[in-house]
Amino acid sequence: MAIQENLARIKNSIPSSTKLVAVSKTKPEADLMEAYHAGQRIFGENKVQELVAKQESLPKDIEWHFIGHLQSNKVKYIAPFVDLIHGVDSLKLLVEINKQALKNNRIINCLLQFHIASEQAKFGLTMSEAMNLINDPIYKTLQNIRLVGVMGMATYTDDENQIRSEFKTLRSFFDTLKNEHLQGNSFEEISMGMSADYKIAIQEGSTMIRLGSSIFGARFKSPF
Ligand SMILES: *Cc1c(COP(=O)(O)O)cnc(C)c1O
């Protein structure tokens, strides 16, 4: 029952307009079903094989988000069903997502991942790399993907000011892209905030938070 209680507590503490992605990586299907029965419909996974297996056996009205680092050669496995890919950080990957989306006669929604943390290990684009991507003539030919926003991960630290300033940076990248380059109603998501920092993220304009341990409890296997 803890999962349902956690979800209820979290939902009471966030604006109703904030989308909640339940990050279920490493967790058994029974845990996802407990969240499902509490009304949760958006789940996030960061491993292709695990996502495919869970999608096959769980209810079909679940919206699946891929939140990990996606390798181009694995896009084909999730292209038939994935609802949002959070971690797009290259034109090459976007081209492959477009190709696989076309094969499945779909348009796949994607977020550009930005590198906002001080840790080198985290993935993501710089603003100038993102500009190069969206100004590339190849990008303009892609008909089966839709960039619907940005995603980023703050540094893993106790320093709230640092986390806040990294989220502000992501927010400013979003505003720049939306106002100057990607006008239109569909560019609207800022995916930022995890269990430890989602309250700050919401204060800084997050529209979508990705929570794992605060819903499902600690993971015993490192996801990274
Ligand atoms: C694991 C993960 C999360 C959730 O982390 P928690 O700290 O358990 O909430 C969110 N986003 C990404 C990209 C992740 O890999």
Side-chain angles (χ1 to χ4, degrees):
M1 291 311 285
I3 292 171
Q4 301 203 1
E5 285 156 16
N6 292 341
L7 272 172
R9 183 173 35 77
I10 291 162
K11 282 192 189 151
N12 275 327
S13 73
I14 64 175
S16 58
S17 57
T18 307
K19 295 180 182 123
L20 172 59
V21 181
V23 176
S24 47
K25 61 192 185 193
T26 79
K27 296 295 177 182
E29 290 176 3
D31 286 10
L32 282 76
M33 283 310 294
E34 189 174 337
Y36 181 86
H37 288 309
Q40 182 65 29
R41 290 295 180 275
I42 309 176
F43 290 86
E45 292 281 340
N46 72 340
K47 295 277 190 293
V48 167
Q49 264 195 321
E50 187 176 346
L51 172 56
V52 169
K54 285 174 174 170
Q55 190 272 336
E56 277 173 6
S57 61
L58 294 174
K60 295 303 168 223
D61 63 341
I62 289 176
E63 190 179 305
W64 293 101
H65 290 196
F66 189 81
I67 61 165
H69 187 67
L70 184 57
Q71 291 170 276
S72 293
N73 62 352
K74 294 193 176 164
V75 174
K76 57 178 175 284
Y77 302 114
I78 63 171
F81 65 87
V82 71
D83 287 289
L84 182 61
I85 297 176
H86 285 237
V88 173
D89 63 356
S90 72
L91 182 59
K92 174 177 174 254
L93 178 58
L94 214 47
V95 166
E96 179 63 17
I97 295 168
N98 186 74
K99 179 177 152 192
Q100 298 300 333
L102 179 61
K103 276 192 190 167
N104 287 279
N105 197 22
R106 304 183 66 215
I107 292 173
I108 296 181
N109 290 330
C110 298
L111 301 178
L112 286 179
Q113 182 171 358
F114 282 91
H115 188 275
I116 53 169
S118 59
E119 296 140 326
Q120 282 307 312
K122 286 185 176 157
F123 292 103
L125 300 160
T126 63
M127 191 59 187
S128 71
E129 288 168 340
M131 289 297 184
N132 288 341
L133 190 159
I134 62 173
N135 289 316
D136 196 298
I138 293 173
Y139 167 71
K140 299 186 198 309
T141 68
L142 305 178
Q143 301 287 318
N144 289 74
I145 54 98
R146 191 187 290 126
L147 288 183
V148 298
V150 302
M151 178 266 201
M153 274 192 269
T155 303
Y156 187 70
T157 173
D158 292 337
D159 183 349
E160 271 199 25
N161 290 328
Q162 182 176 356
I163 294 169
R164 188 178 298 282
S165 108
E166 291 171 359
F167 286 151
K168 278 186 198 294
T169 300
L170 185 60
R171 169 74 190 267
S172 76
F173 289 169
F174 170 82
D175 288 340
T176 303
L177 289 171
K178 183 169 178 70
N179 294 334
E180 294 177 27
H181 300 275
L182 297 166
Q183 280 175 353
N185 296 332
S186 64
F187 197 77
E188 59 191 9
E189 301 294 355
I190 306 177
S191 168
M192 63 183 186
M194 303 172 40
S195 292
D197 56 21
Y198 72 92
K199 292 187 176 133
I200 304 171
I202 289 171
Q203 288 165 0
E204 297 307 329
S206 174
T207 65
M208 188 178 271
I209 55 176
R210 310 177 309 270
L211 305 189
S213 50
S214 56
I215 299 174
F216 296 107
R219 289 176 300 272
F220 298 104
K221 212 161 57 168
S222 167
F224 297 112

